[in-house]
Amino acid sequence: MKQKMNAVLTGQAREISAWFQGSIGKQVIQTETAIMDELLEEMFGYHMLQLSIQQADLYTRSPIQHCMKSSLFEVAGSDLTAYPDALPFESDCIDVLISHHVLDFSNRPQELLREFSRVVLPGGRLILLGFNPYSLWGVTRPLMSWCHRVPWNSHFLAPERLMDWLNDLNFRIDRTIYSEYGLPLIGRHRRRPDYSLGLSRRYNFPFGAVSIIVARKQMETMTPLKPKWFQRREFSNLSLVKPVARVHPGRIDLKQGTAMPDNGL
């Protein structure tokens, strides 16, 4: 299991989980939870899945009854332990999937996105939470990468890069939200951010340390083909005749594509 886990993550999963339980990590979780509370109130369905490497639930305000949390190792509150690149679910069964910083620490983020796309049903939503390189945290990362500590050893994937990958997987971007505009410092008396007036009421500059991308999986479109029996025939060599009154042609069965008797009607 350890070999497989290291193939999925660039850092140690337990170290990542421990960072989110620290002071700065708790500040990030606090802000992300406030945003998710407002986002999830508008999302409905039957099944929600949170993929995370920490203990906090991000779906406490969700109206969906069946919410699950999956982790790479056994942690308190997790419903199952699974690899994010091999989820134990059938295709097209999850209404809302939340990926909480999983792509940041993955060596194969595109492979994980393909697996997320497989389990999300058409019309369902995929929510990606990650660190934004175009932020003060992103500027600090090169200076701190020498220590190989969380979160500086993560990838800090650019939001537009993630959006391009999502478009290739037939997802439509609904919205992108940014937060955490300060330096990665500990705030002693910091309040929980208030988004109760709506997410659109607050500033949303693309320079926040955390980016939240909400994407909807689009349904496959089918091009209708004109049936052969509907195609008009050419009668160039025939002359037109005067129609006879009270002639009832047979009905067309759209399912079978054959003519049915009129039954004298």
PDB file of all heavy atoms in Angstrom, residues 81-115:
ATOM      1  N   THR A  81     -11.531   3.740   2.953  1.00  0.00           N
ATOM      2  CA  THR A  81     -10.144   3.981   2.594  1.00  0.00           C
ATOM      3  C   THR A  81      -9.940   3.484   1.172  1.00  0.00           C
ATOM      4  O   THR A  81     -10.177   2.313   0.880  1.00  0.00           O
ATOM      5  CB  THR A  81      -9.190   3.247   3.557  1.00  0.00           C
ATOM      6  OG1 THR A  81      -9.452   3.686   4.894  1.00  0.00           O
ATOM      7  CG2 THR A  81      -7.750   3.538   3.204  1.00  0.00           C
ATOM      8  N   ALA A  82      -9.529   4.371   0.276  1.00  0.00           N
ATOM      9  CA  ALA A  82      -9.403   4.000  -1.129  1.00  0.00           C
ATOM     10  C   ALA A  82      -8.369   4.876  -1.811  1.00  0.00           C
ATOM     11  O   ALA A  82      -8.076   5.981  -1.359  1.00  0.00           O
ATOM     12  CB  ALA A  82     -10.756   4.131  -1.845  1.00  0.00           C
ATOM     13  N   TYR A  83      -7.803   4.355  -2.892  1.00  0.00           N
ATOM     14  CA  TYR A  83      -6.887   5.135  -3.707  1.00  0.00           C
ATOM     15  C   TYR A  83      -7.693   6.079  -4.599  1.00  0.00           C
ATOM     16  O   TYR A  83      -8.679   5.657  -5.215  1.00  0.00           O
ATOM     17  CB  TYR A  83      -6.029   4.224  -4.577  1.00  0.00           C
ATOM     18  CG  TYR A  83      -5.231   3.210  -3.805  1.00  0.00           C
ATOM     19  CD1 TYR A  83      -5.338   1.856  -4.104  1.00  0.00           C
ATOM     20  CD2 TYR A  83      -4.370   3.605  -2.798  1.00  0.00           C
ATOM     21  CE1 TYR A  83      -4.600   0.918  -3.402  1.00  0.00           C
ATOM     22  CE2 TYR A  83      -3.638   2.678  -2.089  1.00  0.00           C
ATOM     23  CZ  TYR A  83      -3.748   1.329  -2.395  1.00  0.00           C
ATOM     24  OH  TYR A  83      -3.035   0.407  -1.697  1.00  0.00           O
ATOM     25  N   PRO A  84      -7.317   7.316  -4.732  1.00  0.00           N
ATOM     26  CA  PRO A  84      -8.099   8.247  -5.559  1.00  0.00           C
ATOM     27  C   PRO A  84      -8.038   7.951  -7.048  1.00  0.00           C
ATOM     28  O   PRO A  84      -8.855   8.462  -7.807  1.00  0.00           O
ATOM     29  CB  PRO A  84      -7.472   9.612  -5.236  1.00  0.00           C
ATOM     30  CG  PRO A  84      -6.090   9.297  -4.775  1.00  0.00           C
ATOM     31  CD  PRO A  84      -6.187   7.981  -4.066  1.00  0.00           C
ATOM     32  N   ASP A  85      -7.072   7.122  -7.483  1.00  0.00           N
ATOM     33  CA  ASP A  85      -7.013   6.769  -8.896  1.00  0.00           C
ATOM     34  C   ASP A  85      -7.690   5.439  -9.187  1.00  0.00           C
ATOM     35  O   ASP A  85      -7.647   4.956 -10.334  1.00  0.00           O
ATOM     36  CB  ASP A  85      -5.555   6.733  -9.375  1.00  0.00           C
ATOM     37  CG  ASP A  85      -4.707   5.770  -8.567  1.00  0.00           C
ATOM     38  OD1 ASP A  85      -5.152   5.358  -7.477  1.00  0.00           O
ATOM     39  OD2 ASP A  85      -3.594   5.427  -9.022  1.00  0.00           O
ATOM     40  N   ALA A  86      -8.335   4.839  -8.185  1.00  0.00           N
ATOM     41  CA  ALA A  86      -9.067   3.576  -8.382  1.00  0.00           C
ATOM     42  C   ALA A  86     -10.218   3.546  -7.379  1.00  0.00           C
ATOM     43  O   ALA A  86     -10.227   2.739  -6.440  1.00  0.00           O
ATOM     44  CB  ALA A  86      -8.143   2.380  -8.206  1.00  0.00           C
ATOM     45  N   LEU A  87     -11.184   4.410  -7.584  1.00  0.00           N
ATOM     46  CA  LEU A  87     -12.299   4.528  -6.646  1.00  0.00           C
ATOM     47  C   LEU A  87     -13.218   3.313  -6.756  1.00  0.00           C
ATOM     48  O   LEU A  87     -13.524   2.865  -7.863  1.00  0.00           O
ATOM     49  CB  LEU A  87     -13.086   5.812  -6.920  1.00  0.00           C
ATOM     50  CG  LEU A  87     -12.300   7.114  -6.737  1.00  0.00           C
ATOM     51  CD1 LEU A  87     -13.130   8.298  -7.203  1.00  0.00           C
ATOM     52  CD2 LEU A  87     -11.885   7.290  -5.283  1.00  0.00           C
ATOM     53  N   PRO A  88     -13.689   2.782  -5.625  1.00  0.00           N
ATOM     54  CA  PRO A  88     -14.522   1.568  -5.645  1.00  0.00           C
ATOM     55  C   PRO A  88     -15.988   1.858  -5.927  1.00  0.00           C
ATOM     56  O   PRO A  88     -16.880   1.433  -5.186  1.00  0.00           O
ATOM     57  CB  PRO A  88     -14.313   1.013  -4.233  1.00  0.00           C
ATOM     58  CG  PRO A  88     -14.136   2.225  -3.385  1.00  0.00           C
ATOM     59  CD  PRO A  88     -13.376   3.215  -4.246  1.00  0.00           C
ATOM     60  N   PHE A  89     -16.248   2.589  -7.006  1.00  0.00           N
ATOM     61  CA  PHE A  89     -17.623   2.940  -7.364  1.00  0.00           C
ATOM     62  C   PHE A  89     -17.852   2.638  -8.838  1.00  0.00           C
ATOM     63  O   PHE A  89     -16.918   2.657  -9.653  1.00  0.00           O
ATOM     64  CB  PHE A  89     -17.901   4.430  -7.096  1.00  0.00           C
ATOM     65  CG  PHE A  89     -17.749   4.839  -5.663  1.00  0.00           C
ATOM     66  CD1 PHE A  89     -16.603   5.505  -5.246  1.00  0.00           C
ATOM     67  CD2 PHE A  89     -18.731   4.558  -4.727  1.00  0.00           C
ATOM     68  CE1 PHE A  89     -16.446   5.886  -3.926  1.00  0.00           C
ATOM     69  CE2 PHE A  89     -18.585   4.932  -3.411  1.00  0.00           C
ATOM     70  CZ  PHE A  89     -17.445   5.596  -3.001  1.00  0.00           C
ATOM     71  N   GLU A  90     -19.112   2.386  -9.160  1.00  0.00           N
ATOM     72  CA  GLU A  90     -19.480   2.213 -10.553  1.00  0.00           C
ATOM     73  C   GLU A  90     -19.411   3.551 -11.279  1.00  0.00           C
ATOM     74  O   GLU A  90     -19.408   4.617 -10.662  1.00  0.00           O
ATOM     75  CB  GLU A  90     -20.886   1.628 -10.655  1.00  0.00           C
ATOM     76  CG  GLU A  90     -21.028   0.239 -10.057  1.00  0.00           C
ATOM     77  CD  GLU A  90     -22.437  -0.287 -10.190  1.00  0.00           C
ATOM     78  OE1 GLU A  90     -23.316   0.484 -10.636  1.00  0.00           O
ATOM     79  OE2 GLU A  90     -22.666  -1.464  -9.849  1.00  0.00           O
ATOM     80  N   SER A  91     -19.376   3.488 -12.580  1.00  0.00           N
ATOM     81  CA  SER A  91     -19.334   4.717 -13.373  1.00  0.00           C
ATOM     82  C   SER A  91     -20.670   5.449 -13.285  1.00  0.00           C
ATOM     83  O   SER A  91     -21.731   4.832 -13.150  1.00  0.00           O
ATOM     84  CB  SER A  91     -19.019   4.388 -14.835  1.00  0.00           C
ATOM     85  OG  SER A  91     -17.764   3.747 -14.946  1.00  0.00           O
ATOM     86  N   ASP A  92     -20.599   6.774 -13.329  1.00  0.00           N
ATOM     87  CA  ASP A  92     -21.788   7.639 -13.371  1.00  0.00           C
ATOM     88  C   ASP A  92     -22.720   7.388 -12.187  1.00  0.00           C
ATOM     89  O   ASP A  92     -23.899   7.077 -12.360  1.00  0.00           O
ATOM     90  CB  ASP A  92     -22.556   7.433 -14.682  1.00  0.00           C
ATOM     91  CG  ASP A  92     -21.719   7.711 -15.911  1.00  0.00           C
ATOM     92  OD1 ASP A  92     -20.780   8.512 -15.805  1.00  0.00           O
ATOM     93  OD2 ASP A  92     -21.995   7.119 -16.968  1.00  0.00           O
ATOM     94  N   CYS A  93     -22.194   7.530 -10.967  1.00  0.00           N
ATOM     95  CA  CYS A  93     -23.028   7.276  -9.787  1.00  0.00           C
ATOM     96  C   CYS A  93     -22.946   8.370  -8.731  1.00  0.00           C
ATOM     97  O   CYS A  93     -23.728   8.361  -7.782  1.00  0.00           O
ATOM     98  CB  CYS A  93     -22.660   5.931  -9.161  1.00  0.00           C
ATOM     99  SG  CYS A  93     -20.986   5.863  -8.482  1.00  0.00           S
ATOM    100  N   ILE A  94     -22.021   9.323  -8.837  1.00  0.00           N
ATOM    101  CA  ILE A  94     -21.826  10.356  -7.817  1.00  0.00           C
ATOM    102  C   ILE A  94     -22.396  11.678  -8.324  1.00  0.00           C
ATOM    103  O   ILE A  94     -22.067  12.130  -9.425  1.00  0.00           O
ATOM    104  CB  ILE A  94     -20.336  10.523  -7.465  1.00  0.00           C
ATOM    105  CG1 ILE A  94     -19.750   9.203  -6.968  1.00  0.00           C
ATOM    106  CG2 ILE A  94     -20.153  11.614  -6.422  1.00  0.00           C
ATOM    107  CD1 ILE A  94     -20.373   8.689  -5.674  1.00  0.00           C
ATOM    108  N   ASP A  95     -23.258  12.311  -7.515  1.00  0.00           N
ATOM    109  CA  ASP A  95     -23.843  13.598  -7.898  1.00  0.00           C
ATOM    110  C   ASP A  95     -22.865  14.755  -7.683  1.00  0.00           C
ATOM    111  O   ASP A  95     -22.791  15.662  -8.513  1.00  0.00           O
ATOM    112  CB  ASP A  95     -25.125  13.852  -7.093  1.00  0.00           C
ATOM    113  CG  ASP A  95     -26.206  12.846  -7.414  1.00  0.00           C
ATOM    114  OD1 ASP A  95     -26.892  13.022  -8.431  1.00  0.00           O
ATOM    115  OD2 ASP A  95     -26.362  11.870  -6.652  1.00  0.00           O
ATOM    116  N   VAL A  96     -22.158  14.746  -6.560  1.00  0.00           N
ATOM    117  CA  VAL A  96     -21.185  15.813  -6.258  1.00  0.00           C
ATOM    118  C   VAL A  96     -19.920  15.153  -5.714  1.00  0.00           C
ATOM    119  O   VAL A  96     -19.985  14.374  -4.758  1.00  0.00           O
ATOM    120  CB  VAL A  96     -21.732  16.815  -5.221  1.00  0.00           C
ATOM    121  CG1 VAL A  96     -20.693  17.897  -4.934  1.00  0.00           C
ATOM    122  CG2 VAL A  96     -23.029  17.441  -5.701  1.00  0.00           C
ATOM    123  N   LEU A  97     -18.787  15.454  -6.320  1.00  0.00           N
ATOM    124  CA  LEU A  97     -17.492  14.935  -5.852  1.00  0.00           C
ATOM    125  C   LEU A  97     -16.615  16.115  -5.472  1.00  0.00           C
ATOM    126  O   LEU A  97     -16.416  17.037  -6.270  1.00  0.00           O
ATOM    127  CB  LEU A  97     -16.822  14.085  -6.927  1.00  0.00           C
ATOM    128  CG  LEU A  97     -15.592  13.278  -6.489  1.00  0.00           C
ATOM    129  CD1 LEU A  97     -15.438  12.022  -7.359  1.00  0.00           C
ATOM    130  CD2 LEU A  97     -14.305  14.095  -6.558  1.00  0.00           C
ATOM    131  N   ILE A  98     -16.091  16.088  -4.251  1.00  0.00           N
ATOM    132  CA  ILE A  98     -15.214  17.134  -3.734  1.00  0.00           C
ATOM    133  C   ILE A  98     -13.803  16.581  -3.629  1.00  0.00           C
ATOM    134  O   ILE A  98     -13.567  15.592  -2.928  1.00  0.00           O
ATOM    135  CB  ILE A  98     -15.683  17.625  -2.347  1.00  0.00           C
ATOM    136  CG1 ILE A  98     -17.134  18.103  -2.397  1.00  0.00           C
ATOM    137  CG2 ILE A  98     -14.774  18.733  -1.835  1.00  0.00           C
ATOM    138  CD1 ILE A  98     -17.725  18.369  -1.026  1.00  0.00           C
ATOM    139  N   SER A  99     -12.870  17.210  -4.326  1.00  0.00           N
ATOM    140  CA  SER A  99     -11.461  16.835  -4.237  1.00  0.00           C
ATOM    141  C   SER A  99     -10.741  17.914  -3.437  1.00  0.00           C
ATOM    142  O   SER A  99     -10.522  19.027  -3.933  1.00  0.00           O
ATOM    143  CB  SER A  99     -10.845  16.699  -5.638  1.00  0.00           C
ATOM    144  OG  SER A  99      -9.438  16.523  -5.554  1.00  0.00           O
ATOM    145  N   HIS A 100     -10.386  17.569  -2.206  1.00  0.00           N
ATOM    146  CA  HIS A 100      -9.803  18.562  -1.298  1.00  0.00           C
ATOM    147  C   HIS A 100      -8.284  18.448  -1.305  1.00  0.00           C
ATOM    148  O   HIS A 100      -7.697  17.625  -0.604  1.00  0.00           O
ATOM    149  CB  HIS A 100     -10.351  18.348   0.122  1.00  0.00           C
ATOM    150  CG  HIS A 100      -9.868  19.381   1.095  1.00  0.00           C
ATOM    151  ND1 HIS A 100      -8.933  19.116   2.061  1.00  0.00           N
ATOM    152  CD2 HIS A 100     -10.178  20.700   1.217  1.00  0.00           C
ATOM    153  CE1 HIS A 100      -8.699  20.205   2.767  1.00  0.00           C
ATOM    154  NE2 HIS A 100      -9.436  21.176   2.270  1.00  0.00           N
ATOM    155  N   HIS A 101      -7.639  19.253  -2.147  1.00  0.00           N
ATOM    156  CA  HIS A 101      -6.181  19.344  -2.249  1.00  0.00           C
ATOM    157  C   HIS A 101      -5.521  18.010  -2.603  1.00  0.00           C
ATOM    158  O   HIS A 101      -4.309  17.850  -2.384  1.00  0.00           O
ATOM    159  CB  HIS A 101      -5.576  19.891  -0.945  1.00  0.00           C
ATOM    160  CG  HIS A 101      -5.978  21.293  -0.639  1.00  0.00           C
ATOM    161  ND1 HIS A 101      -5.365  22.393  -1.198  1.00  0.00           N
ATOM    162  CD2 HIS A 101      -6.968  21.790   0.163  1.00  0.00           C
ATOM    163  CE1 HIS A 101      -5.933  23.499  -0.749  1.00  0.00           C
ATOM    164  NE2 HIS A 101      -6.920  23.157   0.066  1.00  0.00           N
ATOM    165  N   VAL A 102      -6.276  17.079  -3.145  1.00  0.00           N
ATOM    166  CA  VAL A 102      -5.694  15.797  -3.547  1.00  0.00           C
ATOM    167  C   VAL A 102      -4.801  15.970  -4.772  1.00  0.00           C
ATOM    168  O   VAL A 102      -3.717  15.389  -4.850  1.00  0.00           O
ATOM    169  CB  VAL A 102      -6.809  14.768  -3.823  1.00  0.00           C
ATOM    170  CG1 VAL A 102      -6.228  13.467  -4.363  1.00  0.00           C
ATOM    171  CG2 VAL A 102      -7.597  14.483  -2.553  1.00  0.00           C
ATOM    172  N   LEU A 103      -5.233  16.799  -5.733  1.00  0.00           N
ATOM    173  CA  LEU A 103      -4.428  17.005  -6.936  1.00  0.00           C
ATOM    174  C   LEU A 103      -3.122  17.729  -6.639  1.00  0.00           C
ATOM    175  O   LEU A 103      -2.134  17.546  -7.355  1.00  0.00           O
ATOM    176  CB  LEU A 103      -5.236  17.799  -7.968  1.00  0.00           C
ATOM    177  CG  LEU A 103      -6.515  17.144  -8.489  1.00  0.00           C
ATOM    178  CD1 LEU A 103      -7.202  18.064  -9.495  1.00  0.00           C
ATOM    179  CD2 LEU A 103      -6.232  15.799  -9.117  1.00  0.00           C
ATOM    180  N   ASP A 104      -3.101  18.553  -5.602  1.00  0.00           N
ATOM    181  CA  ASP A 104      -1.887  19.298  -5.261  1.00  0.00           C
ATOM    182  C   ASP A 104      -0.723  18.370  -4.936  1.00  0.00           C
ATOM    183  O   ASP A 104       0.430  18.697  -5.209  1.00  0.00           O
ATOM    184  CB  ASP A 104      -2.146  20.209  -4.048  1.00  0.00           C
ATOM    185  CG  ASP A 104      -2.980  21.422  -4.408  1.00  0.00           C
ATOM    186  OD1 ASP A 104      -2.852  21.906  -5.543  1.00  0.00           O
ATOM    187  OD2 ASP A 104      -3.761  21.882  -3.557  1.00  0.00           O
ATOM    188  N   PHE A 105      -1.030  17.229  -4.335  1.00  0.00           N
ATOM    189  CA  PHE A 105       0.017  16.321  -3.893  1.00  0.00           C
ATOM    190  C   PHE A 105       0.098  15.060  -4.741  1.00  0.00           C
ATOM    191  O   PHE A 105       0.653  14.051  -4.308  1.00  0.00           O
ATOM    192  CB  PHE A 105      -0.222  15.947  -2.425  1.00  0.00           C
ATOM    193  CG  PHE A 105      -0.184  17.118  -1.493  1.00  0.00           C
ATOM    194  CD1 PHE A 105      -1.348  17.787  -1.144  1.00  0.00           C
ATOM    195  CD2 PHE A 105       1.015  17.576  -0.982  1.00  0.00           C
ATOM    196  CE1 PHE A 105      -1.321  18.871  -0.291  1.00  0.00           C
ATOM    197  CE2 PHE A 105       1.052  18.669  -0.125  1.00  0.00           C
ATOM    198  CZ  PHE A 105      -0.117  19.320   0.224  1.00  0.00           C
ATOM    199  N   SER A 106      -0.447  15.113  -5.945  1.00  0.00           N
ATOM    200  CA  SER A 106      -0.462  13.944  -6.817  1.00  0.00           C
ATOM    201  C   SER A 106       0.596  14.064  -7.900  1.00  0.00           C
ATOM    202  O   SER A 106       0.808  15.135  -8.469  1.00  0.00           O
ATOM    203  CB  SER A 106      -1.846  13.773  -7.456  1.00  0.00           C
ATOM    204  OG  SER A 106      -1.807  12.782  -8.458  1.00  0.00           O
ATOM    205  N   ASN A 107       1.252  12.948  -8.209  1.00  0.00           N
ATOM    206  CA  ASN A 107       2.189  12.914  -9.320  1.00  0.00           C
ATOM    207  C   ASN A 107       1.485  12.759 -10.657  1.00  0.00           C
ATOM    208  O   ASN A 107       2.089  12.991 -11.698  1.00  0.00           O
ATOM    209  CB  ASN A 107       3.171  11.751  -9.144  1.00  0.00           C
ATOM    210  CG  ASN A 107       4.163  11.999  -8.031  1.00  0.00           C
ATOM    211  OD1 ASN A 107       4.598  13.120  -7.824  1.00  0.00           O
ATOM    212  ND2 ASN A 107       4.513  10.954  -7.306  1.00  0.00           N
ATOM    213  N   ARG A 108       0.218  12.346 -10.631  1.00  0.00           N
ATOM    214  CA  ARG A 108      -0.530  12.114 -11.865  1.00  0.00           C
ATOM    215  C   ARG A 108      -1.897  12.780 -11.754  1.00  0.00           C
ATOM    216  O   ARG A 108      -2.933  12.105 -11.693  1.00  0.00           O
ATOM    217  CB  ARG A 108      -0.685  10.618 -12.118  1.00  0.00           C
ATOM    218  CG  ARG A 108       0.633   9.864 -12.242  1.00  0.00           C
ATOM    219  CD  ARG A 108       0.431   8.445 -12.742  1.00  0.00           C
ATOM    220  NE  ARG A 108      -0.420   7.670 -11.869  1.00  0.00           N
ATOM    221  CZ  ARG A 108       0.009   6.920 -10.853  1.00  0.00           C
ATOM    222  NH1 ARG A 108       1.313   6.871 -10.619  1.00  0.00           N
ATOM    223  NH2 ARG A 108      -0.814   6.232 -10.107  1.00  0.00           N
ATOM    224  N   PRO A 109      -1.951  14.099 -11.731  1.00  0.00           N
ATOM    225  CA  PRO A 109      -3.243  14.775 -11.542  1.00  0.00           C
ATOM    226  C   PRO A 109      -4.225  14.512 -12.672  1.00  0.00           C
ATOM    227  O   PRO A 109      -5.430  14.416 -12.438  1.00  0.00           O
ATOM    228  CB  PRO A 109      -2.858  16.256 -11.455  1.00  0.00           C
ATOM    229  CG  PRO A 109      -1.523  16.354 -12.126  1.00  0.00           C
ATOM    230  CD  PRO A 109      -0.837  15.062 -11.853  1.00  0.00           C
ATOM    231  N   GLN A 110      -3.754  14.398 -13.918  1.00  0.00           N
ATOM    232  CA  GLN A 110      -4.674  14.147 -15.022  1.00  0.00           C
ATOM    233  C   GLN A 110      -5.309  12.763 -14.916  1.00  0.00           C
ATOM    234  O   GLN A 110      -6.484  12.576 -15.257  1.00  0.00           O
ATOM    235  CB  GLN A 110      -3.952  14.286 -16.363  1.00  0.00           C
ATOM    236  CG  GLN A 110      -3.644  15.733 -16.739  1.00  0.00           C
ATOM    237  CD  GLN A 110      -2.996  15.838 -18.094  1.00  0.00           C
ATOM    238  OE1 GLN A 110      -1.790  15.644 -18.224  1.00  0.00           O
ATOM    239  NE2 GLN A 110      -3.769  16.154 -19.102  1.00  0.00           N
ATOM    240  N   GLU A 111      -4.545  11.807 -14.438  1.00  0.00           N
ATOM    241  CA  GLU A 111      -5.098  10.462 -14.243  1.00  0.00           C
ATOM    242  C   GLU A 111      -6.187  10.479 -13.174  1.00  0.00           C
ATOM    243  O   GLU A 111      -7.216   9.801 -13.298  1.00  0.00           O
ATOM    244  CB  GLU A 111      -3.985   9.495 -13.856  1.00  0.00           C
ATOM    245  CG  GLU A 111      -4.443   8.056 -13.675  1.00  0.00           C
ATOM    246  CD  GLU A 111      -3.303   7.124 -13.370  1.00  0.00           C
ATOM    247  OE1 GLU A 111      -2.158   7.426 -13.786  1.00  0.00           O
ATOM    248  OE2 GLU A 111      -3.536   6.083 -12.710  1.00  0.00           O
ATOM    249  N   LEU A 112      -5.968  11.249 -12.126  1.00  0.00           N
ATOM    250  CA  LEU A 112      -6.985  11.354 -11.087  1.00  0.00           C
ATOM    251  C   LEU A 112      -8.236  12.033 -11.627  1.00  0.00           C
ATOM    252  O   LEU A 112      -9.363  11.616 -11.316  1.00  0.00           O
ATOM    253  CB  LEU A 112      -6.446  12.142  -9.892  1.00  0.00           C
ATOM    254  CG  LEU A 112      -5.271  11.539  -9.125  1.00  0.00           C
ATOM    255  CD1 LEU A 112      -5.034  12.313  -7.839  1.00  0.00           C
ATOM    256  CD2 LEU A 112      -5.494  10.080  -8.815  1.00  0.00           C
ATOM    257  N   LEU A 113      -8.080  13.062 -12.440  1.00  0.00           N
ATOM    258  CA  LEU A 113      -9.240  13.742 -13.013  1.00  0.00           C
ATOM    259  C   LEU A 113     -10.051  12.803 -13.895  1.00  0.00           C
ATOM    260  O   LEU A 113     -11.290  12.851 -13.908  1.00  0.00           O
ATOM    261  CB  LEU A 113      -8.796  14.966 -13.816  1.00  0.00           C
ATOM    262  CG  LEU A 113      -8.434  16.222 -13.019  1.00  0.00           C
ATOM    263  CD1 LEU A 113      -7.995  17.334 -13.956  1.00  0.00           C
ATOM    264  CD2 LEU A 113      -9.600  16.687 -12.164  1.00  0.00           C
ATOM    265  N   ARG A 114      -9.376  11.944 -14.639  1.00  0.00           N
ATOM    266  CA  ARG A 114     -10.104  10.974 -15.466  1.00  0.00           C
ATOM    267  C   ARG A 114     -10.913  10.012 -14.594  1.00  0.00           C
ATOM    268  O   ARG A 114     -12.036   9.646 -14.940  1.00  0.00           O
ATOM    269  CB  ARG A 114      -9.127  10.200 -16.352  1.00  0.00           C
ATOM    270  CG  ARG A 114      -8.636  10.981 -17.546  1.00  0.00           C
ATOM    271  CD  ARG A 114      -7.931  10.087 -18.547  1.00  0.00           C
ATOM    272  NE  ARG A 114      -6.685   9.561 -18.008  1.00  0.00           N
ATOM    273  CZ  ARG A 114      -5.509  10.149 -18.171  1.00  0.00           C
ATOM    274  NH1 ARG A 114      -5.431  11.283 -18.857  1.00  0.00           N
ATOM    275  NH2 ARG A 114      -4.411   9.620 -17.662  1.00  0.00           N
ATOM    276  N   GLU A 115     -10.346   9.627 -13.453  1.00  0.00           N
ATOM    277  CA  GLU A 115     -11.086   8.749 -12.542  1.00  0.00           C
ATOM    278  C   GLU A 115     -12.261   9.489 -11.907  1.00  0.00           C
ATOM    279  O   GLU A 115     -13.348   8.922 -11.751  1.00  0.00           O
ATOM    280  CB  GLU A 115     -10.142   8.218 -11.462  1.00  0.00           C
ATOM    281  CG  GLU A 115     -10.787   7.306 -10.432  1.00  0.00           C
ATOM    282  CD  GLU A 115     -11.279   5.996 -11.016  1.00  0.00           C
ATOM    283  OE1 GLU A 115     -11.074   5.737 -12.217  1.00  0.00           O
ATOM    284  OE2 GLU A 115     -11.889   5.222 -10.248  1.00  0.00           O
TER     285      GLU A 115
END
